[in-house]
Amino acid sequence: MSHVDERLREIFEQTEDSDQIYTGKIDNIDYYSLFCKAASNNALHKLMGNNLCMFRCEYKGKDAIMMMFSIPINNNEDTTGAKNVAERVMEVVEATERCFITIDSMRSEEVKEDKFVYITLVKGLNGGE
């Protein structure tokens, strides 16, 4: 297991036992507020050069963990910057799939005002079944 995998698993397990809970809709997230909430609770992490926070949530009626990564967008709009962001998105997806095998939900959203691409992944908890 790589350092990234170990750290990802560690944060996931800490979140399972924490009171970091998200009760909103997964398809309509106020990313800025959630990252601020995580930072104020000492639950904002750096992983692979990206910010990461996790929250317990409910997904399709079952307990789950929502993982959110923020990937900064370069100010220059050239193809190199876009390629870099795409590569970083793929790194995040590969790391989470390697660590958790299956992901129940995955989406990315670019918020130009924030200058970030946000990746939201949801992994159901087996203990709830």
Side-chain angles (χ1 to χ4, degrees):
M1 221 181 205
S2 74
H3 167 71
V4 168
D5 296 353
E6 289 174 11
R7 187 70 179 126
L8 197 54
R9 177 59 72 181
E10 178 184 325
I11 297 166
F12 187 90
E13 290 170 357
Q14 288 172 357
T15 304
E16 280 183 287
D17 298 330
S18 79
D19 59 355
Q20 286 278 103
I21 299 172
Y22 176 69
T23 56
K25 294 184 178 193
I26 291 178
D27 59 352
N28 188 20
I29 297 173
D30 180 353
Y31 297 104
Y32 180 78
S33 293
L34 282 180
F35 276 93
C36 287
K37 179 180 177 181
S40 70
N41 291 322
N42 263 354
L44 183 60
H45 309 277
K46 257 313 198 204
L47 192 66
M48 299 181 292
N50 307 307
N51 287 321
L52 164 66
C53 61
M54 294 188 193
F55 293 87
R56 290 179 20 221
C57 68
E58 190 174 288
Y59 181 72
K60 294 188 176 180
K62 297 186 179 177
D63 290 335
I65 300 290
M66 179 176 69
M67 300 170 255
M68 295 188 328
F69 290 84
S70 66
I71 300 173
I73 300 170
N74 292 340
N75 288 338
N76 56 356
E77 294 292 326
D78 65 5
T79 56
T80 306
K83 181 180 177 188
N84 183 32
V85 170
E87 288 172 352
R88 292 176 74 179
V89 168
M90 290 309 300
E91 286 175 357
V92 165
V93 170
E94 288 171 8
T96 55
E97 286 181 338
R98 191 173 55 242
C99 190
F100 300 109
I101 311 302
T102 58
I103 299 294
D104 297 302
S105 174
M106 183 182 318
R107 67 186 296 256
S108 68
E109 182 177 350
E110 180 178 336
V111 180
K112 290 193 186 266
E113 299 83 37
D114 293 356
K115 296 183 181 173
F116 286 100
V117 169
Y118 296 100
I119 303 172
T120 306
L121 305 116
V122 178
K123 171 69 176 158
L125 298 174
N126 294 334
E129 298 179 332

